[in-house]
Amino acid sequence: MSTASTRLPEGRYGRSSDARSDRTLKVVGAALGVALLALVGYLGYHYVGQNKISAEVIEFDAGKDAVKVHLEVRKDAGASGYCTLRSQAESGAEVGRADFRFDGDATRIDKVVTLRTTSQGTTAELLGCHAD
C-alpha cells in the first residue's frame, strides 16, 4: 500500500498563507534594517562631524595630592571649549575631577595640566571634550 500525499498541488490554489507571511516579514525586516542603518549613519555623522575638540592623555604622573597629565588636544582653528579629566584612587573612588579650557587659533595643543586630588590618585582619565 502506498501513502497518499496531503500536500496541495502546486500553483492550483495560489500562494499559501506561509508564503504571504514570509513576504511580509521580509518587507518589515528590510524596512527596519534601512531605518537602523540611517540612525547609525546620523549618529556617526553627528558625533564625528560636529565634534570640534578631541583630546587624548599621553602620559600622567601621580603624586600625593595632584596628578600631572600630559594632554594632547586637537581642535578646529578658533574653536574654544574644555576637556574634563578625573583621577581615581586604588580603591576606585574618585579623588579629583576638573575641567581645563582650550581656546585660540592653534589646531594642536600639547599641554601638561595639574589635576588636584584629595588623596593619592592612581589614574588620569579623560572623560570627554566639549566645544562652546
Side-chain angles (χ1 to χ4, degrees):
M1 299 201 109
S2 67
T3 331
S5 173
T6 58
R7 295 181 56 200
L8 297 174
E10 287 189 37
R12 179 175 249 182
Y13 299 104
R15 288 187 185 175
S16 70
S17 63
D18 288 340
R20 276 188 297 254
S21 64
D22 286 347
R23 177 179 157 86
T24 304
L25 284 175
K26 286 179 185 176
V27 169
V28 168
L32 289 175
V34 167
L36 180 64
L37 187 61
L39 178 67
V40 168
Y42 172 76
L43 293 176
Y45 169 76
H46 181 70
Y47 179 74
V48 174
Q50 302 298 321
N51 197 3
K52 297 179 181 180
I53 296 180
S54 64
E56 68 178 303
V57 174
I58 304 299
E59 65 179 347
F60 66 91
D61 182 26
K64 191 170 189 170
D65 60 350
V67 177
K68 292 186 187 275
V69 181
H70 180 190
L71 198 60
E72 181 181 299
V73 179
R74 291 168 302 282
K75 63 182 192 68
D76 293 343
S80 63
Y82 62 94
C83 293
T84 304
L85 294 171
R86 82 169 174 180
S87 181
Q88 293 177 309
E90 192 171 325
S91 66
E94 185 175 290
V95 294
R97 179 186 290 241
D99 294 333
F100 296 98
R101 281 202 123 326
F102 299 97
D103 50 14
D105 290 331
T107 59
R108 184 175 172 275
I109 301 169
D110 271 335
K111 189 172 184 180
V112 176
V113 296
T114 302
L115 174 62
R116 300 277 178 213
T117 58
T118 56
S119 63
Q120 175 78 38
T122 58
T123 64
E125 181 181 5
L126 176 66
L127 296 179
C129 295
H130 305 280
D132 291 337

